[in-house]
Amino acid sequence: MSDAAAATRENPVPVPVIVALGFAGSRRLLAWDSPLDDAARAAFMHALEDDLRARLASLPAELGLSAAHVTCGVSQVAIGADTLFTRACAALALPQRVFLPQSRDEYLTGHEADGTQDFDPTQRAEAERLLSSPHVIEERVVSDA
């Protein structure tokens, strides 16, 4: 091995490498007819978000990533698990790319087949807040890409 090759191996130049953490979750994390009251539902969601945040925080060590690796979340921001993922990314200051199937306004005001809104007013406000968070480094309409 040449001296230059040995020096490079001993002192590698860190080149940033993006590691995309893709996420797709369920809209309904609990059945509509779940026997849990509002407080128990909120506690369940909080515990699930805490677990997700801990899992995301542990991934770099589990995967053996170095300081040159930059993890980046990739998801939508649908109600349910996607929202929990986006909250976890925000809490960890983990950069996130959000891919939407249509423009933000159309997406957040969309309706299900039965005519009910996809996002109720509280969920829409939260999605707007999360999409405006500094950790969201890209918001893209995939049909335009």
Side-chain angles (χ1 to χ4, degrees), residues 78-129:
I79 63 170
D82 283 16
T83 296
L84 297 182
F85 177 77
T86 302
R87 283 189 206 153
C89 288
L92 296 169
L94 182 73
Q96 183 178 1
R97 299 171 69 202
V98 176
F99 296 126
L100 300 176
Q102 58 202 118
S103 73
R104 181 193 292 200
D105 189 54
E106 290 174 317
Y107 182 68
L108 296 178
T109 58
H111 293 81
E112 295 185 33
D114 67 0
T116 59
Q117 288 184 310
D118 283 336
F119 292 82
D120 68 28
T122 302
Q123 292 164 333
R124 181 180 179 168
E126 181 174 21
E128 291 276 4
R129 181 187 63 76

Side-chain angles (χ1 to χ4, degrees), residues 48-49 61 67 71 75 94 99 110 112 117 119 126 130 135 137 145:
L48 193 56
E49 184 179 339
T71 53
S75 72
L94 182 73
F99 296 126
E112 295 185 33
Q117 288 184 310
F119 292 82
E126 181 174 21
L130 289 169
H135 84 284
I137 60 171

Side-chain angles (χ1 to χ4, degrees), residues 13-19 66-70:
V13 176
V15 176
V17 177
I18 305 300
V19 178
S66 72
H69 292 93
V70 177

Side-chain angles (χ1 to χ4, degrees), residues 21-27 29 52 74-83 85:
L21 304 175
F23 185 87
S26 176
R27 292 177 52 88
L29 298 175
L52 183 55
V74 178
S75 72
Q76 287 190 33
V77 69
I79 63 170
D82 283 16
T83 296
F85 177 77

